[in-house]
Amino acid sequence: MSTLTKPTSAAPTAPPRAVRAHLSFPHLVRSEWIKLWTVRSTYWILPLTVLAFVGISFLVAFFSTQDDAQANGAPPMDASFLLTPGVYFGQLAIVVLAVLTITGEYSTGMIRSTFAAAPARLPVLTAKLLVVLVVSFLTGAVATALTWLVTRPVLGDEHAIDLGSAETQRILLGAPLYLTAIALFAFALGALLRHSAAALATVLGLLLVIETVFSAIPTDFFRNTAPFLPGTAGQRLTASQQFMDMTAQMSDAPQLTPWQGFGVLLAWGVVILVAAAVLVRRRDA
């Protein structure tokens, strides 16, 4: 005959190591950094950004210094402007990178695993944004430096760029800052819309189509609104003083200073990012 024994309560055990682990913000940043560099598109987009930036700037500098261009009565060339024509083409690749960084996880469903590991969500959004901004600024800085190197032999001593000029320094710094701010704007719209095609169509449509239409329609509303659109405002930071004086003479629209324009572009990005952050916390992944 067997005897009944009183069941003994199991001794409390320590939670698994994975549960006790705290996912700090530096860990999130490192995780997002690894994610960015483990997708193949990153290795296509960043070289394309530099190639478009440097290539277009070199071509503009080369043909602007030809005798034919100078003989056609063109005004004396502001060489500092030749450093940044390519930034307007390089921004297209940066927009794609910024949008895909956030919408790519929504399209694959990986965002649910990410938010399961970091339920607070906002630190994840911040970590992704920080990685995108750092990569965008460094890409812009490398492209600007390469542009100066490749255009230097073309410009020669006659059109040599004065690196000691405050205007040149503002343009040199402005190019990577502009790309960084555009990345912020694109990332914020991607976080808000959560769909790659919709976000890319919105950002590129605004930069390439809507802003051009606003600048072309000769009515007071469009003429007074165009300077405050994100791309038009932000590009003031990389514009030469000669170009801004010329546009001021041709139009009675509001004229923003370079840093005012950059502030307007940042404001666009921050406002959309705040709206996206609110929705990220409230919506299902």
Side-chain angles (χ1 to χ4, degrees), residues 51-71:
L51 182 63
F53 191 124
V54 178
I56 296 297
S57 298
F58 174 80
L59 291 176
V60 172
F62 177 78
F63 288 108
S64 297
T65 54
Q66 297 304 298
D67 293 338
D68 291 343
Q70 298 300 309

Side-chain angles (χ1 to χ4, degrees), residues 13-32:
T13 58
R17 182 182 179 83
V19 175
R20 289 186 286 112
H22 175 63
L23 197 57
S24 64
F25 184 71
H27 289 148
L28 288 173
V29 173
R30 184 170 182 271
S31 172
E32 297 302 330

